[in-house]
Amino acid sequence: MAFRLFVPILAGATLRERILACIGATIGIALTGAISGLAMGGGPHVALLVAPMGASAVLLFAVPASPLAQPWSIIGGNSISALVGVTVAHFIHDPVMASGLAVALAIAAMSFTRCLHPPGGAAALTAVLGGPAVISAGFLFPFVPVALNSTILAALGFLFHKLARRNYPHVATPAANSHGTADAPAQQRVGFRPEDIDAALTTLDETFDIDRDDLERLLRQVELQAMVRSHRTLLCEDIMSRDVVSVSEQATADEARQQLLDHNIRTLPVVDADARLVGAVGLRELTKATDTVKSVMAKAGTAWPETPAMSLLPVLTDGRSHALVIVDGERHILGLITQTDLLAAAARVQRADKGLAAA
C-alpha cells in the first residue's frame, strides 16, 4: 500500500510500457528540437520547440493506441489549432477574450477535421499568449515551428513504435470471415452484436478515449476470459488426442497426402529428425509441393497441456485452423486438439452445467 500512488491508472499499463514511454519521450522530444534547430537555424528569438509538444509526446509514447495520439491527430490537431489561435489573436486584442475563444474554436475545428488532440488547445493558447517569438512569426507560426515540430515528432514516434513492435499508427483489426462470404466470423455470431455496443454507448451518453472497434475487441476478449475462468478445470490434456499421426519434414508430398487420406484428418504435424515439431501441412499446402514436405509446411498452432481448453476457441473458430498441437517445453508432440474435440468438450460441459442447474 505504500506504493499505491505509483500504480498506473491506465488499463493495461505495465512497468515495461511506462519505461518505453519514458525512453520514447526522451528520444522524441530531444530529436524533434535538434532537427527543428537544423531546419530553422539558431538564434535566441527562434522557437525550436513549442510547449504543446510535451503533451503530444505523453499521448504518443504513453498511450499510442488512443485515437487522440494518431499521426493525423498530432499534426492536424496542433497545426490547425495554432492557426485558429493566430487568427483569433489577429482580430481580438483582449488576451482574456482571445484565449477563451481560441481554445473553443480550436476544439470545434479539430472535431470537424477529425483530428481532436488535447495539446491542440495548448497550441491555440500559445498562439494567443506566446510572446515576442510567436508575434514575430505571425501566420507562419502554425507551420514553423508547430507543424514542423508535430510532423517530426509523429515520424519519430512511428519509427520508435515499429522498433518496439507496437501497433502504430494504431489500427483495430476485427476478425474477418476467412471464407470470403458475407457472414460474420463464427466467434461473432453468438453473444453481443455491434449494434449492442452502439446502443450501450448511446445509453451511457459519454465519450470514451477508445476506438469503437477496439472496444468491441476488448469486450469479446472479456467474454472469452469469463468463459475460460468458469471452465478452467477443463485443460487441454483432458481432451487431447494422444496417438498423434505425424510426418517427417523429409517425407514426400505423396507420402503426406496418403497419410491425411488414410487417417481421414485435415492437419498433419511435421517433425524433424529429433521428433520435434517444426510445422504442419494439410491438403492445401500439399497442392503446392514439388519436393519434400519441408518446402511447403506452414507454422503449426500450439498449446500447452495445462492450457484451459476453452481458451482455444478463438483459434479453432477463425476459419483457418482445424487443429492445435499440444507440445512440451522442447516441442515434442504430446497430443492434438481438433475442432471436433473442442466441440465435444463444450457440449459435455454444457450438459454438466444443465445437470447442476436442475439439481
Side-chain angles (χ1 to χ4, degrees):
M1 293 300 293
F3 297 98
R4 183 67 183 170
L5 291 176
F6 297 96
V7 176
I9 60 173
L10 290 174
T14 62
L15 178 61
R16 175 184 179 274
E17 291 294 306
R18 297 288 75 86
I19 291 175
L20 278 176
C22 294
I23 295 173
T26 301
I27 297 172
I29 291 297
L31 285 181
T32 297
I35 296 172
S36 296
L38 291 174
M40 296 159 47
H45 302 295
V46 177
L48 302 181
L49 274 174
V50 288
M53 291 305 110
S56 294
V58 173
L59 288 170
L60 175 60
F61 295 105
V63 282
S66 169
L68 308 178
Q70 302 313 298
W72 171 236
S73 297
I74 295 174
I75 298 170
N78 284 329
S79 304
I80 291 172
S81 296
L83 182 60
V84 168
V86 169
T87 303
V88 170
H90 182 76
F91 290 102
I92 299 177
H93 301 293
D94 175 42
V96 175
M97 180 66 70
S99 297
L101 188 59
V103 173
L105 291 178
I107 294 174
M110 288 187 289
S111 298
F112 281 116
T113 53
R114 300 181 64 83
C115 59
L116 193 64
H117 186 59
L125 201 59
T126 302
V128 174
L129 306 174
V134 175
I135 294 173
S136 63
F139 279 94
L140 185 63
F141 176 73
F143 304 99
V144 179
V146 177
L148 178 63
N149 284 174
S150 301
T151 302
I152 294 172
L153 185 64
L156 292 171
F158 172 81
L159 292 174
F160 179 83
H161 290 311
K162 288 302 178 188
L163 292 174
R165 298 185 178 180
R166 281 172 159 180
N167 177 18
Y168 187 85
H170 182 74
V171 179
T173 53
N177 189 326
S178 62
H179 301 297
T181 63
D183 289 320
Q187 60 268 38
Q188 293 185 7
R189 296 176 204 164
V190 294
F192 66 87
R193 297 182 177 181
E195 53 264 33
D196 297 328
I197 298 177
D198 295 331
L201 290 172
T202 301
T203 301
L204 291 174
D205 194 25
E206 291 186 53
T207 301
F208 298 93
D209 184 12
I210 182 172
D211 183 84
R212 188 199 167 286
D213 290 336
D214 282 332
L215 180 60
E216 180 174 351
R217 289 173 58 228
L218 175 62
L219 291 176
R220 293 200 182 279
Q221 190 63 31
V222 169
E223 196 175 50
L224 172 65
Q225 292 302 323
M227 184 188 66
V228 170
R229 174 178 50 79
S230 63
H231 301 110
R232 188 169 293 278
T233 54
L234 188 65
L235 306 179
C236 287
E237 62 185 357
D238 298 326
I239 67 170
M240 68 185 185
S241 304
R242 298 175 185 272
D243 184 16
V244 181
V245 178
S246 62
V247 66
S248 167
E249 62 183 348
Q250 300 302 327
T252 65
D254 287 338
E255 291 172 336
R257 190 179 297 109
Q258 193 60 49
Q259 287 220 58
L260 288 169
L261 296 175
D262 288 346
H263 294 280
N264 192 25
I265 55 179
R266 303 179 70 176
T267 301
L268 193 60
V270 181
V271 295
D272 61 15
D274 296 318
R276 290 188 175 89
L277 180 71
V278 291
V281 292
L283 290 175
R284 173 175 295 185
E285 287 81 19
L286 292 175
T287 58
K288 306 172 186 176
T290 57
D291 192 6
T292 62
V293 167
K294 184 178 181 180
S295 64
V296 294
M297 66 181 181
K299 183 179 179 181
T302 61
W304 305 102
E306 61 274 14
T307 301
M310 291 303 168
S311 67
L312 307 185
L313 268 174
V315 178
L316 291 179
T317 58
D318 64 3
R320 296 184 296 273
S321 304
H322 304 295
L324 287 174
V325 186
I326 312 304
V327 296
D328 61 16
E330 296 182 348
R331 294 186 69 82
H332 290 123
I333 299 175
L334 301 178
L336 188 81
I337 293 180
T338 66
Q339 293 168 324
T340 303
D341 296 328
L342 193 60
L343 181 61
R348 187 176 67 203
V349 167
Q350 187 178 35
R351 286 196 299 270
D353 288 346
K354 286 183 177 180
L356 289 174

